[in-house]
Amino acid sequence: MKTKITKISNINPQDTFAESTNGIYIVDAGAGTGKTHTIIRRYKNLINAGVHPKDILLITFTRNAAEQMRNDVVTAAYEQEVSITDLLEAPVLNFHSYCLRFLKKYGLKAPSILGISEMLTGNFNVAEENIYESELFRKFYLKFRKSNFRKYESIYKSLSYDYETVLSSIKKLCSIGIFPTSKGWFSNGAELLKGNEDEYRKKFEQMNEVCMGKTSEVQNEMHSIIKGMKDKVCFDFNYEENLEGKRVKESLIDEIFSDEMQEELIEFMRDVYYSYIEFMLKRNILNFDFVIMFAYLVLYSDKEIRNASQFEYIMVDEFQDTDEIQFLLLMLLCKDINGTANIGVVGDWKQGIYGFRNTTIENITLFSERLSDYKKVLNKGSERITYNTDESAINKITFEYNYRSSQKILDFSMHTLKCKGSADDKPDIEMVTNNFSKPLTAIRELDDLTEIAFYESAVQDSDSETELILKKISELTNDEKYLIREFEKDGSVKCERRIQYSDICVLSRTNEFGLKLQKEGITKNIPVNFEGGLELFASQQGILLLAWLRVMLNVNSAEGWLPILETDGNKFNELKYLTDLISKNNTNAESEYFRELFDFRDKLASEKENLLNVIEMIFTRYGFEDEYCNAILTEFSSWIKNDLLSPGELTNLINNLKIDRFNIEISNTDNAVVYQTIHGSKGLEYPVVILANMNTLVFPSSKSSYPNIYYHPVSGLRLRKQFGSIGEYSGVFDNWRSEILICMLKTGNYDEERRLLYVAATRAKQYLYFTTRKASNFFKDLLTFCGEIPVNNFDYQIIPVEFKNEIDREEIKAPEVKSHGRKFVSVHTLMDEDVPASESFESEIVPDISAGNNEAMEYGIKIHLAAQRIANKIDPGFESEEVRGIYSFLKNCGAEEIHSEVDFLYPSGNEMIRGTIDLILIYKDRVEIVDYKTGSGKKFLEQYKKQISIYKEVVNKVYPDKEVTGLIYFTGINEFVKV
DNA sequence: GGTCGCAGAGTTTTT
DNA sequence: CTCTGCGACC
């Protein structure tokens, strides 16, 4: 057995990055190069050099990644003496939690930067659920539309009721740093929205040049774009008139860019965007985008706060997942130290797969350009960035060694970024080779135990591919020639062993495929764990279930009947007729047809009390019995079990469930094949990867669409529809100017799909397989690149394997944790050990434990909010006995300083306690802690006392020379209890 | 061999 | 909304 460890020379780029801590660094860290590990090494070096943890900002994108990093930072072994509390409080965060923290401290007046009078108090909520924000926006938009209908009539007519587009445009603009103000746009926003006419003209002329084919002049790019317009319906454009031989009429260049609708659209967007921010602030809610926006605005506008917030050292992980505003924000957070900034960003542009969330890989690929461009943006009006951003100040490092895969797989991964997505797709090979010139070097010696192969199912029906995959899995687990080599930490070989189910990961572009595979696996006794979320109630099963439940609750619900009647095979005209009868309560006219439906509905209603029965009856009616049904039943039974489903609440639930997403785990077992979407697999690794479902239209997916409101830096903001008329007919037409611009500017539709392919391939350590039943372009191109022929007659008897203990893989352990053994608990957990931790954490802002019901809870929050506003000298927004009480209490308390809603984190024994103190009053010689209780009862007095005593202990540490006293303030009865 | 028209079939998800 | 595949046509 080979035990050779590839020797890493002293100039290993990983070492270079870990050891050079000063200056600007951009690190291209490909898959499996140990980037997070290197970041932690660099962090340790900084601490060992005497840098205080509070001066190093370590930032990433996801909560999990940040959590992992924080764990690494706290448990690392340092040579330098460093306090645990300092490490626990170190800024190791994801973007949003950093900004949240920042806003709680400095955000109060942030809205005023945009000209909004509303304040941002410290206890705002973040709308975390997409469905929630979407609903919120819808409510807002309908009201806005109504009150401004005249003003933007033509826009509304063009947009119809498409509020989702408006919301996503707001988010898009936010992500690139375009913000509305009361009168216009913040900073250079107005300019950006108009677009860049010079660039456009250059592009037009370039695309309209005479183009020579093999023998004679052929149609150029502009010509084919204009010709393509024949499929569009425009009321004021005739494509034929604008063609001139093999080119396009020159006069068109002036006409395309100037659209009189654009100005109106920009003003509409400003109004709706601005009003939406106001609307959210009035409700004390922010969305994720506005959290970043306000943090940026404060840092941009307030020199003092900016100086106080800047960091000596910043490191960013997963930099390919950032958007433009996050780049700008990071630049503001860098402290200028003698003309340089110490920032190291680490990422892999090849793994940028979150474009739909507005992240841009250009933050990496155009790092230098953006750095100097953004410096100009940030220095508009006054100088905010003083450190050097010249090319010469930027250090580029590429990690070259891979600790995961065989060399064969690494070499292969080069091809993934060059595959064609469609027959006439033109991947930007030049860009790929410029940014990824040679494959990574494998550190693990695996080339004797590695394989890449392609499989095509013999028949084209959809079950044949899942069966093929199960056969392959069976071969992998039964045939002795497949071995997995494991390594020790030092790189020497630990052991070689047979493959078991959990070593195998099946990846696909879609969720759906996994369900099929799992179902098929069950019948063949091969366990497949399905991991990931599913839109349960968007499935046919879910839609029909909700429809019947609606009808059960309200027999006249046309909304409910519609999907039922549709499933019955009725077409548009019949549907209209039938729903009409229902809403007019006139079903007698078709009593024959309705009788059976109504009977079934009545049967359901009679079982109303037993909801699970009702659901079963509905599924049985349609013969549904798949994983969706199981998952839906499980979901409902858990709601029922938790008493969340009284008949009244059912209506509510149904209305909100429509598009929500659930994490369902269906019959997952210990040793099973893992199924994931490629997105879900990012960051993970497996000895065996089967990339399945590589079928046309699936992967790469061709479903890409440009929204109705479109933004591109060259075109500016554009509306794709336009209200107009041809003769008698008035209606919504395509806006030809916008359509032409979009065609001119669109780039690499399949770039992100290719990166997805790269992510998938680089998850594999040793064995990598591709399967299809109807080969997509990706599948075909990979074959060509490899010079391989697909296996299309693969057969293997499916033999389930019972794994014995001796070959059981040792459980993957988290990196050695020199545990300080602290876990996080909230104060409320300590007050009452019976309350489950999750619940008590929720209740941290809940003023009264006895307030089990929503109303009391909401009321408590309202009073707390009012108290906080009073403490911050802001109008509480409403009057009541209690508000007056709090007001006079604060006015007369005579304290020198008042702090409200103080968050703390306090180590005690094996635990980290976290909590929020309502109010701290600081006097000359003493400190008083006040906790509001809005309920009237004092029956929990003992527990409250316990809570206060914990607070006292905490506050005592901060003010060791002052006497600390506690006070419980029962606001409802205006009584005080000293503790 | 080019190209035209038409039917059919299709996604991911984080803060 | 956009790609593929197919048949039709020059």
Side-chain angles (χ1 to χ4, degrees), chain A residues 45-60:
Chain A
N45 285 339
L46 283 168
I47 300 290
N48 291 339
V51 181
H52 194 281
K54 74 169 168 34
D55 294 325
I56 313 168
L57 176 66
L58 206 48
I59 208 157
T60 181

Side-chain angles (χ1 to χ4, degrees), chain A residues 270-286:
Chain A
R270 190 205 61 79
D271 203 349
V272 81
Y273 190 174
Y274 184 83
S275 308
Y276 182 48
I277 299 172
E278 266 186 324
F279 171 88
M280 296 278 257
L281 286 170
K282 277 197 187 115
R283 281 156 189 75
N284 225 26
I285 299 169
L286 288 186

Side-chain angles (χ1 to χ4, degrees), chain A residues 401-517:
Chain A
Y401 299 100
N402 172 292
Y403 298 86
R404 176 185 297 159
S405 312
S406 71
Q407 190 63 51
K408 189 174 180 185
I409 289 173
L410 294 175
D411 292 345
F412 170 83
S413 73
M414 298 288 289
H415 301 312
T416 58
L417 295 162
K418 297 172 187 167
C419 290
K420 275 189 194 157
S422 64
D424 46 7
D425 184 28
K426 289 190 276 301
D428 191 345
I429 308 283
E430 198 189 326
M431 182 272 179
V432 173
T433 35
N434 281 345
N435 290 292
F436 188 38
S437 53
K438 61 176 202 260
L440 296 169
T441 304
I443 291 292
R444 304 291 185 229
E445 195 73 48
L446 289 166
D447 271 354
D448 52 327
L449 287 178
T450 188
E451 186 176 53
I452 299 170
F454 299 83
Y455 292 82
E456 217 166 17
S457 56
V459 215
Q460 283 211 355
D461 75 85
S462 65
D463 291 339
S464 65
E465 193 184 342
T466 48
E467 201 180 323
L468 170 70
I469 292 166
L470 293 171
K471 283 177 181 167
K472 184 68 199 174
I473 290 170
S474 196
E475 190 209 10
L476 286 162
T477 46
N478 281 293
D479 193 324
E480 293 178 15
K481 75 175 178 191
Y482 298 105
L483 285 175
I484 286 171
R485 183 171 294 154
E486 290 189 357
F487 297 87
E488 297 287 358
K489 231 182 174 176
D490 66 0
S492 60
V493 173
K494 183 174 151 200
C495 67
E496 280 177 7
R497 59 172 182 79
R498 297 274 296 281
I499 297 176
Q500 53 180 321
Y501 291 134
S502 56
D503 296 315
I504 303 170
C505 176
V506 179
L507 293 175
S508 147
R509 186 72 171 83
T510 67
N511 270 309
E512 203 77 20
F513 189 83
L515 285 181
K516 222 184 270 170
L517 183 70

Side-chain angles (χ1 to χ4, degrees), chain A residues 5-15 41 401 403 443:
Chain A
I5 307 165
T6 308
K7 179 96 172 83
I8 302 171
S9 67
N10 291 335
I11 48 160
N12 178 353
Q14 265 104 327
D15 294 339
R41 266 176 68 200
Y401 299 100
Y403 298 86
I443 291 292

Side-chain angles (χ1 to χ4, degrees), chain A residues 81-120:
Chain A
E81 185 80 18
V82 53
S83 118
I84 293 296
T85 319
D86 286 348
L87 287 174
L88 281 166
E89 285 170 0
V92 181
L93 298 155
N94 63 40
F95 267 99
H96 291 87
S97 47
Y98 171 76
C99 291
L100 278 170
R101 238 191 226 193
F102 177 87
L103 287 180
K104 297 227 160 155
K105 206 164 167 187
Y106 300 118
L108 191 68
K109 290 179 184 163
S112 68
I113 301 167
L114 300 176
I116 297 173
S117 57
E118 207 68 29
M119 297 277 189
L120 184 62

